[in-house]
């Protein structure tokens, strides 16, 4: 779905014939993308509406919002592509796609940065439990999210301003640098912290049961690496002159990740009740209020290592 790769050219109509060739495969992929995105909008919207705001859930709320706006902009872009495919007109959609593409990159980058912060936060809670539960600044999550928002905005503003100039080399360098930042700074930090989290929980004391939130962090990072990170990798290679996979397929995979994430929250925290707003809210409470549940059992020696006494 890279704007620079959009080149559907209508077939040369014969005299008196207004029909053009329609790529059935592209239309099918766009239709599947649209359907997946609509499911993801519902799932992320449910997380935003049902999840209570507190320092523990603030990262998750911001991540759900980043996924929501990413899917929203993909829906708009996909509708424009479908209109372009079916009407054989490229003028108006191309202008709008050039305006939507920076917003897509912004929401994608923001989700990547927030997921990195979530994985580091979960790793810190395991490696430094005393500091995390007793000495961590109260507004740290708000400050980190604000900094990541500001950084995401500054990155996309810089890239957009350079790409709107007449110097193609400046645009290529800025895009390459942005994708390299994703691949060689944020992604390794995410993988490292999640790997430490996984082995620390799996190889730790048998008395300390892994929290559901750590399981969610591991699963969300895993799906991001499988489905969303290829967008940065593919675009990075594209800037270097290598076209590996169709941009439509890459964006479809990213949409799958953004759609799966909220359903992971509900499934891991499931309460096995008939599906309703109440049961979904209870699933989120079971997932993100587990530390408080553990502290309620501090008389049980098996639970003493879960949350340290401050």
């Amino acid at each position: 779905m890279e704007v620079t790769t959009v080149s559907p050219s209508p077939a040369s109509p014969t005299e008196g014939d207004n029909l053009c060739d329609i790529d059935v495969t592209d239309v099918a992929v766009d239709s599947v993308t649209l359907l997946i995105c609509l499911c993801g909008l519902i799932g992320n919207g449910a997380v935003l509406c049902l999840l209570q705001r507190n320092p523990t859930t603030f990262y998750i709320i911001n991540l759900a919002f980043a996924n929501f706006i990413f899917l929203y902009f993909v829906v708009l872009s996909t509708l424009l592509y479908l209109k372009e495919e079916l009407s054989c007109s490229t003028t108006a959609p191309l202008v709008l796609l050039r305006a939507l593409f920076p917003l897509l990159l912004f929401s994608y980058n923001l989700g990547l940065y927030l997921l990195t912060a979530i994985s580091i936060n979960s790793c810190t809670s395991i490696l430094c439990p005393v500091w995390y539960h007793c000495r961590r600044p109260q507004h740290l999550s708000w400050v980190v999210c604000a900094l990541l928002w500001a950084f995401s905005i500054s990155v996309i503003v810089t890239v957009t301003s350079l790409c709107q100039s007449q110097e193609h080399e400046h645009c290529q360098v800025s895009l390459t640098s942005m994708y390299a930042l994703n691949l060689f700074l944020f992604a390794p930090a995410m993988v490292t912290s999640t790997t430490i989290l996984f082995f620390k929980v799996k190889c730790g004391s048998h008395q300390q049961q892994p929290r559901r939130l750590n399981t969610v962090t591991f699963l969300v990072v895993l799906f991001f690496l499988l489905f969303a990170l290829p967008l940065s990798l593919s675009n990075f290679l594209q800037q270097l002159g290598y076209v590996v996979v169709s941009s439509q397929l890459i964006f479809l995979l990213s949409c799958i990740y953004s759609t799966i994430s909220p359903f992971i929250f509900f499934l891991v925290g499931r309460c096995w009740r008939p599906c309703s707003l109440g049961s979904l809210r209870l699933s989120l409470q079971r997932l993100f209020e587990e530390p408080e549940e553990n502290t309620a059992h501090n008389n049980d020696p098996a639970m003493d290592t879960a949350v340290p006494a401050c």
Side-chain angles (χ1 to χ4, degrees):
M1 201 174 290
E2 178 99 35
V3 173
T4 57
T5 63
V6 177
S7 57
S9 56
S12 301
T14 58
E15 192 173 320
D17 188 6
N18 292 325
L19 297 178
C20 65
D21 292 334
I22 296 178
D23 193 324
V24 178
T25 302
D26 288 344
V27 172
V29 172
D30 287 339
S31 301
V32 173
T33 301
L34 187 61
L35 180 61
I36 292 175
C37 287
L38 292 177
C39 295
L41 288 174
I42 295 173
N44 286 285
V47 172
L48 292 173
C49 294
L50 299 177
L51 192 57
Q52 296 181 353
R53 275 67 172 169
N54 59 58
T56 304
T57 63
F58 199 68
Y59 288 118
I60 302 298
I61 291 173
N62 278 267
L63 179 62
F65 183 74
N67 289 335
F68 184 90
I69 59 177
F70 175 78
L71 292 171
Y72 176 76
F73 291 133
V74 171
V75 167
L76 295 181
S77 301
T78 304
L79 289 175
L80 290 175
Y81 269 95
L82 285 173
K83 179 180 183 300
E84 176 184 322
E85 293 278 353
L86 298 177
S87 65
C88 303
S89 173
T90 62
T91 306
L94 190 58
V95 174
L96 294 175
L97 285 169
R98 291 186 184 278
L100 285 174
F101 191 66
L103 298 175
L104 279 169
L105 287 181
F106 162 72
S107 54
Y108 170 83
N109 289 340
L110 179 60
L112 169 61
Y113 304 156
L114 288 168
L115 188 55
T116 303
I118 291 172
S119 60
I120 294 175
N121 181 71
S122 297
C123 183
T124 304
S125 69
I126 295 295
L127 295 179
C128 308
V130 175
W131 177 88
Y132 183 85
H133 293 284
C134 303
R135 300 177 183 177
R136 183 182 55 159
Q138 182 179 4
H139 301 293
L140 180 61
S141 58
W142 279 275
V143 173
V144 172
C145 287
L147 291 176
L148 292 178
W149 272 86
F151 182 71
S152 303
I153 293 173
S154 62
V155 167
I156 206 63
V157 167
T158 302
V159 171
T160 303
S161 60
L162 290 175
C163 287
Q164 287 180 346
S165 65
Q166 299 300 322
E167 297 291 339
H168 175 71
E169 293 183 358
H170 292 171
C171 178
Q172 185 177 10
V173 170
S174 63
L175 285 171
T176 304
S177 301
M178 180 185 68
Y179 296 129
L181 189 69
N182 294 346
L183 291 172
F184 304 119
L185 179 61
F186 286 98
M190 181 195 308
V191 172
T192 302
S193 56
T194 305
T195 303
I196 294 173
L197 175 68
F198 175 78
F199 284 105
K200 189 69 176 178
V201 171
K202 189 172 183 60
C203 302
S205 172
H206 293 291
Q207 293 178 340
Q208 182 177 355
Q209 298 299 322
R211 292 167 47 198
R212 291 190 183 95
L213 188 55
N214 294 333
T215 303
V216 164
T217 302
F218 176 77
L219 290 176
V220 172
V221 169
L222 178 63
F223 278 105
F224 180 88
L225 296 176
L226 292 176
F227 293 101
L229 191 62
L231 189 150
S232 289
L233 179 60
S234 175
N235 287 347
F236 176 75
L237 294 176
Q238 185 177 14
Q239 296 303 319
L240 299 180
Y242 303 97
V243 179
V244 181
V245 185
S246 167
S247 59
Q248 282 182 308
L249 179 60
I250 292 298
F251 272 89
L252 174 59
L253 293 176
S254 298
C255 292
I256 291 175
Y257 155 74
S258 297
T259 300
I260 287 177
S261 295
F263 293 100
I264 292 176
F265 302 154
F266 293 119
L267 289 176
V268 175
R270 63 193 181 279
C271 57
W272 301 114
R273 293 186 177 182
C275 185
S276 65
L277 290 179
S279 64
L280 294 178
R281 184 180 289 108
L282 182 58
S283 297
L284 294 176
Q285 290 176 354
R286 285 166 55 88
L287 178 60
F288 295 106
E289 293 181 4
E290 191 169 9
E292 287 72 20
E293 294 174 2
N294 288 340
T295 56
H297 297 84
N298 55 14
N299 291 328
D300 186 353
M303 303 299 294
D304 288 342
T305 57
V307 178
C310 299

